[in-house]
Amino acid sequence: MESSTTTSDIDKCSTWLTEYSRDTYSQFGEDGVIEKALELIGETDGWCVEFGAWDGLHLSNTANLIKNKGYKGVLIEADSQRVQELNSNYSKASDVHILSGFVGWTEKDGLDVLLKPTPIPKDFDFLSVDIDGNDFHVWNAVDHYRPKLVLIEFNPTIPTDVDFVQPSDPAISHGASGLALTKLGARKGYDLVHVSRTNLLFVDHKYFDRFGIRSASFRDMRIDDTDVTWIFTGYDGTILLSGKRKMHFHGIPIRQKKMQVLPKYLRSFPTNYSSLQKAARKIFRIVAGRSIDQTHLKSSDFLESREA
């Protein structure tokens, strides 16, 4: 069906889709925003995909479409217990395909391979990616399928202007920044249309004009950065914190006192150092430099490969 909403009707600010935020199963208003986005696209086929799907209901971004909008779906989950719960929750849904497996980014375990045996169309309506770590690499590896909408989780503790992607390693769970994922979306031909507290919603570029959005930048769309902890230094070398003072996913306080790099006797503006402090700083810089060099050796391979 065709959308009855015109661009002139919705020529609003970049965050206007937030007005439609509503949770039926989702966590931060995604259900309502997804519904509105699909209405604007208009050319829908009634198929959705989600991984990791958990039990198919808990904080799900596809359950509302399947349960209340008649959508067919492919739900993918790696945990065997959750797969059993998925099968139980969708035992009467003949059009829901439940796959047990890990979605990776290689030719053997990528989404293209996992979806191939299913009847889902190449340009299905909606993809939800939430695997708490390698989300960037998994989406980057999708070539054959081109969903109209992509919802993907970003690490909400990372400041807005930081471009960060974790190494492609299933043993690491750092996530990616919203800025990095926005850049990836642009390279893949997708535009950002909405940012919730933890998720980014992208649309295939050919539908972007239907959203009447002035700016598709992550900075303009992010209105909630309450999970970010900013770290900076004073002139005297004191490490200072601002924003959230608790680890978002673990609930453990972040204490400024425990974050200090310089010993207390060196926390002064360097031009005010005594002779003894200057000598101590030289020794401290040598010791600290060796530690930094070792850290650089461990991370340089990934950084160089990404820049290439």
Side-chain angles (χ1 to χ4, degrees):
M1 72 178 180
E2 296 294 332
S3 170
S4 60
T5 308
T6 64
T7 300
S8 60
D9 294 328
I10 57 174
D11 186 17
K12 304 177 182 179
C13 69
S14 299
T15 60
W16 76 271
L17 274 175
T18 304
E19 299 172 16
Y20 292 86
S21 296
R22 188 192 74 254
D23 291 318
T24 304
Y25 294 95
S26 60
Q27 187 174 17
F28 295 115
E30 289 86 356
D31 283 337
V33 173
I34 292 164
E35 278 190 44
K36 184 61 180 178
L38 290 170
E39 175 191 328
L40 291 172
I41 290 172
E43 305 162 14
T44 55
D45 53 44
W47 276 93
C48 61
V49 175
E50 182 164 18
F51 64 92
W54 282 63
D55 64 355
L57 301 177
H58 177 67
L59 304 182
S60 171
N61 296 312
T62 56
N64 180 55
L65 294 176
I66 296 171
K67 295 284 188 179
N68 301 321
K69 302 299 175 181
Y71 262 66
K72 309 175 190 69
V74 179
L75 304 178
I76 308 171
E77 175 57 50
D79 183 88
S80 59
Q81 177 60 40
R82 292 173 184 163
V83 171
Q84 290 182 24
E85 295 171 352
L86 268 171
N87 280 302
S88 175
N89 290 331
Y90 289 93
S91 59
K92 297 180 180 179
S94 59
D95 290 328
V96 174
H97 303 260
I98 296 171
L99 305 180
S100 175
F102 172 84
V103 182
W105 47 89
T106 72
E107 295 181 355
K108 295 182 179 179
D109 60 9
L111 188 64
D112 288 346
V113 174
L114 295 178
L115 292 183
K116 189 174 181 179
T118 73
I120 194 167
K122 181 179 179 180
D123 60 344
F124 60 93
D125 288 346
F126 176 65
L127 169 66
S128 176
V129 183
D130 181 358
I131 56 174
D132 301 326
N134 286 287
D135 309 67
F136 178 101
H137 302 294
V138 168
W139 187 28
N140 187 41
V142 178
D143 286 325
H144 178 73
Y145 292 91
R146 189 168 182 82
K148 301 176 184 72
L149 286 174
V150 177
L151 187 77
I152 187 166
E153 186 179 44
F154 72 99
N155 184 334
T157 72
I158 302 175
T160 301
D161 294 321
V162 173
D163 183 355
F164 173 82
V165 180
Q166 72 160 63
S168 53
D169 185 342
I172 297 176
S173 184
H174 295 165
S177 68
L179 179 60
L181 287 164
T182 302
K183 290 181 177 180
L184 173 62
R187 292 198 298 271
K188 293 178 72 68
Y190 284 84
D191 295 292
L192 187 65
V193 292
H194 176 69
V195 179
S196 74
R197 186 170 175 180
T198 62
N199 288 301
L200 308 175
L201 183 64
F202 294 90
V203 67
D204 188 317
H205 181 70
K206 66 182 178 181
Y207 303 111
F208 180 65
D209 287 346
R210 303 182 187 189
F211 288 74
I213 290 175
R214 298 171 187 170
S215 170
S217 76
F218 179 57
R219 165 165 283 282
D220 288 342
M221 288 194 186
R222 189 180 196 183
I223 59 176
D224 185 351
D225 61 358
T226 55
D227 297 317
V228 173
T229 302
W230 285 271
I231 302 176
F232 51 98
T233 61
Y235 291 124
D236 62 358
T238 302
I239 302 296
L240 302 168
L241 303 181
S242 181
K244 192 168 185 176
R245 301 295 187 96
K246 184 181 289 185
M247 295 179 71
H248 176 70
F249 301 103
H250 298 79
I252 299 173
I254 304 173
R255 303 192 188 283
Q256 182 171 300
K257 185 177 181 180
K258 299 289 186 180
M259 297 288 292
Q260 300 309 312
V261 174
L262 287 177
K264 192 170 183 179
Y265 66 85
L266 285 179
R267 276 181 243 153
S268 176
F269 196 68
T271 57
N272 298 328
Y273 275 178
S274 66
S275 298
L276 185 59
Q277 285 176 310
K278 290 178 181 178
R281 184 179 69 161
K282 288 181 180 180
I283 296 172
F284 189 84
R285 288 178 67 178
I286 292 171
V287 174
R290 288 173 181 168
S291 176
I292 291 171
D293 287 343
Q294 291 301 315
T295 302
H296 174 74
L297 288 173
K298 293 178 181 179
S299 61
S300 61
D301 288 345
F302 168 67
L303 293 174
E304 289 173 3
S305 64
R306 189 180 171 208
E307 290 172 357

